Amino acid sequence: MVRYEGGYDVDTVFDGSKLGIEPHAVEVTPAGDLLVLDSINSNIYRVQLPLSPYSRPKLLAGSPEGLSGHVDGRLREARMNHPKGFTVDDRGNIYVADALNMAIRKISDTGVTTIAGGKSIRGHIDGPSDDAKFSTDFEIRYISSSCSLMVIDRGNQAIREIPLHDDDCAYQYEAGFPLGIALLFAAGFFGYMLALLQRRVLGMASTADEPQIPPRPSIASIPPYQKPLNPYVRPPLLPREDEATKQETEEGFFTSVGKLIGGAKSSMAEIFGSRKKRLNNQYHHHQRRANPWPCKIVMLSHMTRRLHRWTPEHQSLRRTMRS
């Protein structure tokens, strides 16, 4: 019993029969190209995506005549023997399961090499690359997390692993780690610039809303006879609403509280100091007014000196008054 799910179409985007190519397997490179394995002709082709009936493949490794063998070296001079599968690492290196040669081949920009097996002897032996033995039916897969090749050795009913060099897996870290750091710095930079722009716009808006106050003339520009006697003016304890808003944007919370406490202390000291001085002045003034005797004594002595200059009649009168 078959149950079909609708909404899917099938199209032919690459017709190898018209090009003499028999596709056996495909892989996609990190650069975005499609690799096509022709097992019958022992070749690997590269095709640019997206595919279309007019796509033209380019021979990457193998023989244009379809010759087989086991030859390493340059890409066009290398020979493979009916490979059954291949895989691609993070740097774009290609690993081929050369089945009939019982070898694992590596295709890079410098050419084709053999990394394991290849002595045309079937077996199941682990160890160094030149001593390893495989069956004639196996495939390989690249594992990015462990930087290794997984060999599905069907003829030996085993899964085997080949660790790769760190240089073959460094591409993912070189491309991912700096990209994340760059994105982090870019986000921080744009956030900082946005905050500066917002503060600048708010400052311009507040400046436009404030009334235009004419500039105060400096002391040097005021004539001598108009200069103030006391140029020092103590700032008010509580600023005006417009000044308080401006200070909140320019100063922090603790700075504003500190200035408020300092202003309150100076104001209280000045208030109590002036009150104490006023009380002292009132006390001394009251003392001077409460003791009138020194003034009367001075007046009496002055009158006595004047009586010495009186006439005899006055002196007799003075004696009479004394008696």
Side-chain angles (χ1 to χ4, degrees), residues 252-293:
F253 174 76
F254 294 102
T255 306
S256 301
V257 172
K259 288 187 176 181
L260 182 62
I261 295 175
K265 286 184 178 180
S266 60
S267 300
M268 296 299 294
E270 189 170 339
I271 290 172
F272 284 106
S274 60
R275 184 176 179 182
K276 184 177 180 181
K277 183 177 180 181
R278 187 168 62 252
L279 291 176
N280 291 335
N281 293 337
Q282 291 179 0
Y283 175 77
H284 290 299
H285 183 68
H286 178 73
Q287 289 292 334
R288 288 195 300 268
R289 296 186 59 183
N291 191 11
W293 289 107

Side-chain angles (χ1 to χ4, degrees), residues 147-306:
C147 188
S148 63
L149 292 178
M150 284 293 184
V151 182
I152 302 95
D153 196 345
R154 299 188 185 95
N156 291 319
Q157 300 177 348
I159 298 176
R160 308 165 75 177
E161 183 180 12
I162 303 175
L164 299 177
H165 299 295
D166 294 336
D167 295 340
D168 299 327
C169 307
Y171 182 80
Q172 58 176 337
Y173 304 106
E174 293 176 0
F177 182 74
L179 180 61
I181 297 297
L183 290 176
L184 181 62
F185 277 106
F189 175 75
F190 282 114
Y192 177 73
M193 295 301 294
L194 183 62
L196 287 181
L197 180 62
Q198 183 179 5
R199 184 175 180 181
R200 190 68 176 271
V201 171
L202 293 177
M204 293 175 62
S206 61
T207 305
D209 295 339
E210 290 180 357
Q212 298 294 332
I213 301 175
R216 298 179 59 184
S218 61
I219 298 178
S221 61
I222 302 178
Y225 57 87
Q226 294 184 359
K227 289 185 177 181
L229 297 178
N230 187 10
Y232 174 76
V233 178
R234 183 178 60 83
L237 178 61
L238 297 177
R240 297 192 302 271
E241 294 182 359
D242 53 349
E243 294 181 355
T245 305
K246 188 181 298 182
Q247 289 179 358
E248 288 179 0
T249 57
E250 295 180 356
E251 299 179 354
F253 174 76
F254 294 102
T255 306
S256 301
V257 172
K259 288 187 176 181
L260 182 62
I261 295 175
K265 286 184 178 180
S266 60
S267 300
M268 296 299 294
E270 189 170 339
I271 290 172
F272 284 106
S274 60
R275 184 176 179 182
K276 184 177 180 181
K277 183 177 180 181
R278 187 168 62 252
L279 291 176
N280 291 335
N281 293 337
Q282 291 179 0
Y283 175 77
H284 290 299
H285 183 68
H286 178 73
Q287 289 292 334
R288 288 195 300 268
R289 296 186 59 183
N291 191 11
W293 289 107
C295 182
K296 292 183 177 182
I297 293 174
V298 172
M299 292 178 63
L300 183 59
S301 61
H302 182 68
M303 293 177 63
T304 305
R305 286 196 300 270
R306 295 187 61 183

Side-chain angles (χ1 to χ4, degrees), residues 16-88:
S17 61
K18 298 179 180 180
L19 303 172
I21 300 174
E22 298 186 18
H24 182 78
V26 294
E27 288 286 345
V28 180
T29 65
D33 296 332
L34 182 67
L35 299 178
V36 180
L37 173 64
D38 185 353
S39 179
I40 300 300
N41 297 311
S42 303
N43 293 328
I44 295 179
Y45 296 90
R46 184 192 301 272
V47 187
Q48 292 184 352
L49 295 177
L51 295 177
S52 69
Y54 304 99
S55 298
R56 291 296 178 264
K58 179 181 178 182
L59 181 62
L60 179 63
S63 170
E65 296 81 11
L67 301 177
S68 62
H70 189 177
V71 179
D72 293 333
R74 296 180 181 179
L75 297 177
R76 293 298 184 89
E77 297 176 355
R79 299 292 182 265
M80 294 176 287
N81 194 357
H82 303 286
K84 297 300 182 180
F86 69 115
T87 186
V88 183

